[in-house]
Structure formats: C-alpha cells, structure tokens
Amino acid sequence: LTRRANLARLAAAPIALAVGLGALAVAQGPGRFTTYAGHSGLAASLTVTAGLALVAAGLVTSFSRPAGQIGDLALLAGLVWFAPVWVGWDKGPPLVRSLGMLAAGFTFPLLLHLVLAYPSGQLRGTAARVLIAAAYLEAALVALGQALFRDPFYDPNCWANCTDNDFLVRSLPQLARAIEATDRWFTVAAATALVALCARRLLQDSGPARRAVLPVIPAAILLAGAVTAHAVALQRRLLEDPSDPAFRTIFALGCTAVILLAAGLVWATVRTRIQRRAVARIATNLGQAPPPGSLQAALAQAVGDPELRITYWLPNAEHYVDATGRPVAEPVAAPGRAITTLVRDGRQIAVVSHTAALPELERELGAAVRLALENERLQAEALAQLDQLRASRIRIVETSDSERRRLERDLHDGAQQRLLALSYDLRLAHASAQADGDAPTGTLLTETTDHALAALGELRELAHGIYPAILAEAGLTPALASLADAAPLPVELHTVAQGRYPAAVETATYLLVAEALEDAAGRDASHATVSVVRTGERLVVTVQDNGTDRTSAMVQLADRIGALDGQLTVEPTRLRAELLCG
Amino acid sequence: VVADDTMLTRQGIVRLLRDANIEVVAEAQDAQGLLHQVRLARPDVALVDIRMPPTHTDEGLVAAQAIRAEHPQVGVLVLSQYVEPSYALRLLQEHPERVGYLLKERVFDIATVVDALRRIADGETVIDPTIVARLVGRRRQQDPLAVLSEREREVLGLIAEGLSNRAIAARLYVTERTVEAHTTQIFQKLHLPESPDQHRRVLAVLTYLRA
C-alpha cells in the first residue's frame, strides 16, 4: 500500500509540473486579462512558484515521513492552487473551466487542514476537527451550489469564466450570489478561527512542541490575513479585477504566505533529518560502557526535549525502573506528551516519554540505539536486583538485631526475674530454717542460694552479650564505656562521637568494637585504642591494638557492615569501618 | 514504696523487707503509680526498678530524678539487673544525695539493703560494690591507681560505694582518723579536689574512675 501511494506521489510530480506550466501558458495567452498571472511577470512567477513549491514541499515531506498526511495535503493543495488560472482559459474546453471553478474553492480548506494537522498529521482538539470538517463541508456545498445553479452568463460580476458551466441544472443567479456572499463570510470566520487556534497552540504548548509548529505559524497567519482581505475586498467591489492594485497586493500576499508555508515544511523536514542523524549517532557517541542515564540525556539532547524520560519494564519485578534501577511510576501520556514503546524481538525494551511533537520517535531510533537501550535495560535490571539484594541484607541485619534485643528482653523480664524471685524465697526459707534451728536445711539452702546467685550472674552476662540494653537506651558513648570497663585488656576510648545514630549503625559499631577487643585480647595485645569519629555522612570506627598480627578476616563483621553499605578495612592490628549514618 | 513491674520480684522484695522489719507502705508496678504513691505516702525511701512499663527502658531512672526533684526528703534506691556504671552515674549527676544504685540480687542479702536504706534515709549515697569493683578493677594502660597503696585502693572503693569515713573505719577495723589520713592521701595523689560533702565525694571518685 505504501509503495502504491509512493508511486502515486511520484506520478504527481510530472503532473503538477504540467499543470503549473500549463497554467503559465494559459495566463500568458488566453487568460492574459482574466488572471493575475497574466497581468505581470511578478504575479506569474509568484503563482507558479507558490504552486510548485507546495508540490515540492509535499513530496519532500511525504518521502521523509510517509506516515503523516501532511505531505499529501501540501501536494494536493499545490495542484488545486492552479485551478483559478485554468478557469481563465478562454475558449478552452468548458469541462476544464467548469472543474477549475469547482476545485478552486478547496485550496483554502486544504491549507487550513495542513496547518492545523502539522506536524503529526493528526488534528488535535475538537475545535480544530470541527473547523476542518466545516471548511470541507462548506467548500463542497458551495461547489455543489455553484455547479448546479450558477450560470456564469447571468452573473454581472463574472470575471474569468463568463460562459461555461457544464453542470448547470437550473440558472438561479440570486441563489448563486447568495452562496458567494455566504462563502465570503464563512472564509473570514474560518481565517479568524485559524489565527485563534494558532495563537492557542503557541501559548499552550511546551518548548519542543512549540518549536515544532513554528515553521508553519507565520505563514498561516499571513494566509489568514490575505484570505480575509480578499473576502472583504470582494464584498465591497463585487467584481474581482486582477488589474486592481488592491486585489493585486492581496494576491501577492497570499502567494507569499503559500511560499513561506512550503519553505517552512521543507526546513522542518531538513531539521528532522539532522535530528534523526543525531539520534542515530547517539549509540556511537556514547562509547563502550556509558554510565546509567547517559542514553536518556543524549536522546533528550538529540531531539531537543529536556523532559524526555526513558523507563524500563522489569517483567520479573513487574514495575518500571529508570536507568539506575530505581522504581518509577508507569509512564502515561499527558497533554503535549506522548509515549513510545520500543519492542525488540517481541519483547518490550523501553518506554520513552517524550514531547508529542516527535510523532515518529520509534522509527527514528535505529538498531544501534535499540541495542544500546537493550543494554541499558539489562544494566537497570541488574542494578534493581542489586538494590533488592542490598535491602534484603539490611533487613537480615535488622531482623537479627531486633531478635537479639527481644531475646535479651525475654531473658531480663522472664528467666532473670523468676530466678531473682526464687532466690528471695530461698532467702526467706533460709531465715525461717534458722529460726527453727534446722541447721542442715539452713546449710543446704545457703548452697542452693549460692547456685541461684551464680546462675543469675551467668544469665546476666549472657543477656548482656546477646544485646547490651544500655546501647539501645543510652547510645554508643555509655555502651562503649561499659565495654571498656569490662574488657580483658586496657582500652583507651580516644574519641567517641556523641549523639544517637540509626540502631543498625550503633549495633554494628558496638559489635565491631566488642569483637575487635576480644580478638585483640586473643592476640596478646596489652592495650587497644578505640575511636569513633563522625565525618560528614559517615561514622568512622577505628580499633587499634598492639597484639600480634591478625589471622582472622572478620568475615561476619565485614558482612554486617557491608549490609549497611559500609566498608570494613582489616589490617594486621587495626580494624577500620566506615558506616553511613545519614 | 516498692515499684517493680514484675509481680514475683516485687512480692519477693516486699516479703524480705517486711521480714527485716522495714515498713512497706505501698507497691507500684509502673512509674506513674510510683510517683502517685510517693506523693500520697511520703516514704523515707522509694525502691525503684529501672525497667518498667510502658517502654521498658529507663523509666525507673526518670522517675527517680522526678522524686528527688519533687520530694527532697524522699530517698530513692534504684534496683537493677544491669552492671552499668553509666546508669549509676546518671542517677547521681543531678541529685547525688539520698540516692542509691544496687543490683537486684543484693536484695537477697537483706542486711545490705537495710543498711543501704538507712544510709539513704540519712542523706548518704549508696553504690553497688560490684559496679565499684568493675570500675576500680578496670584495665588501664598507665594505671593512675598504681600510685595508691593496697589499703588506699580499698578505701577508694569504699568511698565510691558511698560509705562515710566512720563507716569505712568500722568496715576496716581502723580508727576514723586513719581513714581520714588515707582519704587525704588518695585525693592528693589523684589530684582530686577534696570535698567535705560526702555525696559530692562519691560522684567525684566515680567520675574519675570512669574517665
């Protein structure tokens, strides 16, 4: 279908040339007095340039973006443009003159359609759709009315064609005049509406979308001005005389508008070509291992849309992520924003949210860019999995911490309290045994009480080892002081950062110091120095001792600290950890 | 007044106290109840568990400060299962007199508790020997306590426990004058400011030992 349409378009080129040159011949010969082109060389060149420029712009546009109707509209408008000249072919075939008369009325609706459908080919908004439908309908009704009821012979204001109408059914000069008057007022109204719609687009659209419509807007406003002036002039003079300076000026303005429009179309196409090449080059320019997000930045720059966003769908996680793997909301189309989903081998690779002024982004992204996108998607997936893994490591640490706390509480509030109560009872029993003079029982109870007390002591140490309550309640400073009090070797607390930190950070710090001191004692150290310093967002914990060289890699500590996105450096007699503390 | 959220422990303490002829005027199971009962009964001393509802963290310490601030004549003996010098120091920092910090198993040796209650009622300060022992026995690289003689260390520990010179003399079977001489020596050797105020003396020694 596309090929056939392209052939038709190619065929249109010589036809248009013939129509244009034929029109020139008509203007130079039989239509010398009845056409603008016949009146001066300037008018002739303006006429031919405008029409052929539209045709050329139409061809260029449709071959660079076949999906849009814009090119076809321009092509058609360029052909119809010559109709009024052919009407002036005095003594020519009546059918040609009759058809020319009918076709001439469609030039303005076609140009109107072109401008409002630019650049996507789709009409945006109800107002635009209603306006275009009304314009075509009106042009068709006017053509029909003229064809059936206008007898040029009875038209006192007849200008170019005063004899021929092959379709005449009944001559109704008054009705024909009424139709002409209505057409004039409708044209003024349509031109006004066009200016209003252009102004609205300029005001409402965002940067890139506004830039996209700029090539056609000045021409559209000039065109609206020209057709309005033409209608007003006709209303006042009734006779359209190409020799009248006012009409000639208006005609020149109309031609200029059409030439500008054609030039705008060509310029936009060239710009799109350049942009497309830039998009295609993105992948090459990014190099071997672009950092996450550089593809989005490069694409945004290439298409001139800073708001452009690339998101990736992760089928396993069932949500969208950005290039760094962070979850993002599902991209949705919004006013002025469009969504392009890129698919490769039946799988969705990326969703690009971009300005609606880029209707064919998908076509513009070549194989290289798709490959780069696919790569970035895989990278984003890996990063997202890494994030999940990190979160799950933190959860494991946090769960283990809270489990330790719970265990310590259970011991404290349960077993320890019961044992205390038991020893109190034992004490009372002892007292009563003594009062009764039961010496053996008294001795037994004393022994039992000693066991209970020893058990209490052990239980207390156990609970403290599982989780030091003071750490949660009062923070690192007293907890580390306590650790130093009970340490098996002299410990110097060099500096300990004041204040409270996230529970996981405090626990990690405490366990690091506790384990480092135990390890130092095991390596015959005679003293150790502990420092906890806050530098910016980090808590730096250092334990230095003077024991023999360490053999353990302190894997458990490294795991715990790694889970918190921290770093543990293990040296022979020094442990250093950096923890993020927000 | 005895405040402890665990009924078994509270009842045990109360029975032991009553057995030792200490009058228990009221019981409470949380900090609010404790403050209420203290306001009503104005006891000589309130026995307070550190960990009580609602958060089970340091309610007892907070309540102790409140009682000391509100009722200067009411002493507070904090009972705890934690050998934490930090808690003891925190208790002493604002109102060092008429307060005490004992481990719960100390209650078992009821004579010690009765003695502590008497001393607190008399305006003294009581610190559990286990805590003092941990502080004195702490490993130090250049032990400043090395300048002290064995006897002086012993006296230092007893000072830290809150004992008066007279009580120390009785404990060590020496005269009060000997203890005073030891005390002066200790304070000079450690460069501590000597204070006639006995509970300030406790705080100074504890802080020194902790540093």
Side-chain angles (χ1 to χ4, degrees), chain A residues 405-460:
Chain A
R405 276 207 76 179
R406 196 184 58 76
L407 212 58
E408 189 271 340
R409 266 192 194 165
D410 286 355
L411 278 178
H412 179 279
D413 297 343
Q416 279 178 281
Q417 297 288 355
R418 279 182 183 278
L419 209 50
L420 266 175
L422 173 73
S423 64
Y424 295 161
D425 289 346
L426 285 173
R427 175 66 204 175
L428 283 171
H430 181 252
S432 101
Q434 267 186 332
D436 294 350
D438 187 347
T441 312
T443 316
L444 186 64
L445 281 172
T446 309
E447 276 172 26
T448 317
T449 315
D450 286 345
H451 289 317
L453 282 181
L456 257 179
E458 278 171 27
L459 209 53
R460 189 174 55 219

Side-chain angles (χ1 to χ4, degrees), chain A residues 53-103:
Chain A
L54 265 184
V55 170
L59 284 171
V60 167
T61 309
S62 46
F63 279 104
S64 65
R65 48 169 86 202
Q69 304 176 303
I70 296 296
D72 295 340
L73 285 172
L75 198 61
L76 214 55
L79 284 170
V80 175
W81 173 258
F82 292 108
V85 187
W86 284 90
V87 176
W89 188 5
D90 204 10
K91 310 279 184 328
L95 181 64
V96 172
R97 305 184 77 187
S98 308
L99 282 174
M101 187 180 79
L102 300 184

Side-chain angles (χ1 to χ4, degrees), chain A residues 344-379:
Chain A
R344 189 164 179 263
D345 299 337
R347 279 178 308 117
Q348 179 181 327
I349 7 175
V351 178
V352 185
S353 152
H354 55 87
T355 164
L358 283 173
E360 288 152 21
L361 186 72
E362 196 189 347
R363 278 171 35 82
E364 296 187 13
L365 295 173
V369 178
R370 273 157 204 261
L371 196 62
L373 279 168
E374 173 87 70
N375 271 340
E376 199 174 67
R377 190 189 73 80
L378 291 173
Q379 201 180 354

Side-chain angles (χ1 to χ4, degrees), chain A residues 409 417 449 460 473 482 485, chain B residues 9 81 84 87 105 108:
Chain A
R409 266 192 194 165
Q417 297 288 355
T449 315
R460 189 174 55 219
E473 282 151 34
S482 209
D485 287 342
Chain B
T9 323
Q81 293 182 53
E84 288 289 3
Y87 283 144
E105 56 247 50
F108 170 80

